[in-house]
């Protein structure tokens, strides 16, 4: 079991930063367009409720999430909001050209005055690799090259002579005005992404599947102070656990079951009901006071004070907006006090 975070880890990001994490999940019986409109409403509600950030997931060909381009939806939300920062969680480098992503980031960074955050990840061995033509090899061995090319491109000029990318030097247009604030998604302490990110001085994005011990172990494996970001489920209310248990398994069953691998390897095998119970046990789900206490415990045990909250467990626009407003009124002030 991982021990408590060290003092030096706790000093990183002592001022709480709180965001909402919008997966844009299609619950049974819903239309994709309605789901995306719910996402937009949630982002606007998050700004009104005093959140610092809103982050968007990216998926292809499945109801688990119906946003296929986090950077595109981020552009829309930057135009719909005034203060809140918007991030991608994550832009998948196994199916995206890193220079094209750098161009998009630089453009949106310029027009939003620096409000765009960029989260990147390796993705999975899904059929996306076949559809977009990048292939299994790019997923299995090309991630470090893609990440390095993205970093190089965001510096202003870029060329490549590698295994997966080779081209003459070109200027990135529009010219980047600053370095991107990047985070790298990782699955666990023994994930290769942890060492990859640490070697490049990039903070981690820690997943909802991990409990406090798992996140603390991943932070310890990283081995240096950094502004890591933790994702949690947050549903506030006396009946919050009942709501999550009622609504989440249907979405998880359809969403996890729709993952198709490119080479026939087994896909996700989590039992939706058991996974829902785990999420209720390890995350702030319940009355406001209990949510505050659980979040404070997580901040202390993991040393991570930058938290993104999955707020869509109700599956409805009204429920999502109400949950965001409640967190803003009853949870965030207590955490920031």
């Amino acid at each position: 079991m991982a021990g408590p975070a060290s003092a030096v880890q706790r000093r990183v990001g002592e001022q709480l930063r709180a965001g909402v994490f919008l997966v844009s999940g299609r619950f049974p019986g819903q239309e994709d367009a309605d789901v995306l409109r719910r996402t937009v409403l949630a982002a606007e509600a998050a700004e009104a409720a005093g959140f610092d950030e809103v982050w968007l997931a990216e998926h292809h060909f499945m109801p688990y999430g119906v946003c296929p381009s986090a950077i595109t939806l981020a552009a829309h939300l930057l135009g719909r909001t005034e203060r809140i920062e918007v991030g991608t969680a994550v832009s998948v480098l196994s199916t995206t050209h890193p220079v094209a992503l750098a161009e998009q980031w630089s453009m949106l960074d310029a027009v939003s005055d620096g409000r765009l955050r960029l989260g990147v990840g390796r993705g999975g061995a899904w059929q996306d690799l076949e559809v977009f033509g990048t292939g299994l090899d790019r997923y299995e061995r090309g991630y470090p090259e893609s990440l390095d090319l993205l970093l190089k491109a965001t510096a202003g000029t870029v060329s490549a002579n590698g295994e997966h990318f080779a081209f003459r030097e070109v200027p990135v247009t529009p010219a980047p005005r600053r370095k991107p604030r990047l985070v790298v998604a990782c699955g666990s302490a023994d994930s290769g992404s942890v060492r990859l990110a640490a070697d490049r001085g990039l903070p981690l994005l820690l997943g909802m599947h991990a409990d406090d011990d798992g996140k603390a172990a991943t932070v310890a494996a990283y081995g240096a102070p950094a502004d890591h970001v933790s994702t949690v489920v947050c549903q506030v209310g006396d009946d919050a656990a009942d709501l999550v248990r009622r609504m989440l398994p249907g979405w998880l069953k359809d969403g996890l079951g729709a993952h198709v691998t490119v080479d026939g390897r087994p896909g996700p095998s989590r039992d939706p009901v058991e996974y829902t119970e785990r999420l209720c046990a390890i995350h702030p789900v319940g009355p406001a006071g209990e949510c505050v206490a659980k979040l404070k415990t997580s901040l202390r045990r993991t040393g991570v004070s930058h938290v993104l909250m999955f707020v869509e467990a109700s599956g409805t626009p009204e429920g999502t907006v109400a949950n965001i407003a409640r967190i803003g009124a009853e949870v965030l002030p207590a955490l920031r006090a």
Side-chain angles (χ1 to χ4, degrees):
M1 180 178 295
S6 68
V8 68
Q9 288 168 339
R10 285 197 300 272
R11 283 199 298 269
V12 176
E14 280 183 347
Q15 180 63 47
L16 175 78
R17 285 193 65 82
V20 297
F21 175 40
L22 301 175
V23 179
S24 300
R26 186 212 302 153
F27 285 64
Q30 295 181 345
E31 298 290 334
D32 292 345
D34 293 332
V35 173
L36 292 170
R37 284 191 284 267
R38 183 187 77 211
T39 300
V40 174
L41 287 174
E44 294 172 335
E47 181 168 62
F51 280 87
D52 301 299
E53 304 164 348
V54 54
W55 292 67
L56 307 165
E58 176 176 302
H59 297 89
H60 297 280
F61 319 123
M62 65 180 69
Y64 187 84
V66 300
C67 170
S69 173
I71 194 81
T72 301
L73 189 52
H76 179 68
L77 294 182
L78 287 167
R80 293 285 291 256
T81 56
E82 297 179 355
R83 172 196 57 83
I84 201 166
E85 295 186 351
V86 182
T88 66
V90 293
S91 297
V92 180
L93 289 184
S94 296
T95 53
T96 300
H97 197 294
V99 177
L101 182 61
E103 289 179 320
Q104 292 170 307
W105 164 79
S106 185
M107 177 178 62
L108 296 176
D109 177 78
V111 299
S112 70
D113 197 25
R115 285 197 291 133
L116 179 66
R117 299 294 306 269
L118 199 57
V120 297
R122 184 183 176 207
W126 314 129
Q127 59 188 338
D128 317 3
L129 301 169
E130 174 186 335
V131 175
F132 299 123
T134 52
L136 189 60
D137 188 61
R138 170 92 170 267
Y139 163 75
E140 291 183 332
R141 300 192 300 119
Y143 185 35
E145 185 182 346
S146 294
L147 179 57
D148 288 341
L149 194 57
L150 173 66
L151 293 172
K152 191 175 179 182
T154 55
T157 60
V158 61
S159 62
N161 187 25
E163 181 180 356
H164 296 90
F165 303 95
F167 53 86
R168 71 191 73 180
E169 185 173 88
V170 293
V172 174
T173 306
R177 303 173 63 203
R178 72 196 98 222
K179 290 183 179 179
R181 291 168 297 155
L182 269 165
V183 295
V184 176
C186 71
S188 61
D190 58 0
S191 166
S193 296
V194 176
R195 190 75 269 131
L196 184 71
D199 289 346
R200 289 150 182 79
L202 301 173
L204 301 172
L205 178 64
L206 308 168
M208 289 191 299
H209 63 280
D211 58 14
D212 288 347
D213 289 337
K215 289 175 180 176
T218 303
V219 169
Y222 185 91
D227 182 23
H228 302 304
V229 183
S230 174
T231 55
V232 301
V233 175
C234 189
Q235 187 70 33
V236 179
D238 293 339
D239 62 344
D242 290 339
L243 182 149
V244 173
R245 291 186 177 108
R246 184 172 68 252
M247 299 302 297
L248 231 55
W251 166 58
L252 290 171
K253 179 181 178 181
D254 291 348
L256 296 176
H259 284 75
V260 178
T261 57
V262 71
D263 58 355
R265 71 182 70 183
S269 59
R270 288 192 177 104
D271 178 270
V273 174
E274 291 179 2
Y275 189 40
T276 298
E277 288 297 328
R278 173 174 170 78
L279 293 175
C280 286
I282 68 176
H283 290 310
V285 175
E290 292 181 13
C291 290
V292 170
K294 184 159 281 191
L295 284 164
K296 285 184 175 180
T297 298
S298 294
L299 294 173
R300 183 179 67 251
R301 295 182 67 193
T302 65
V304 179
S305 56
H306 193 161
V307 181
L308 307 182
M309 303 178 188
F310 173 82
V311 294
E312 302 168 280
S314 70
T316 68
E318 300 80 8
T320 299
V321 169
N323 189 38
I324 290 170
R326 244 190 124 165
I327 296 170
E330 301 177 41
V331 176
L332 295 188
L335 292 176
R336 290 169 170 158

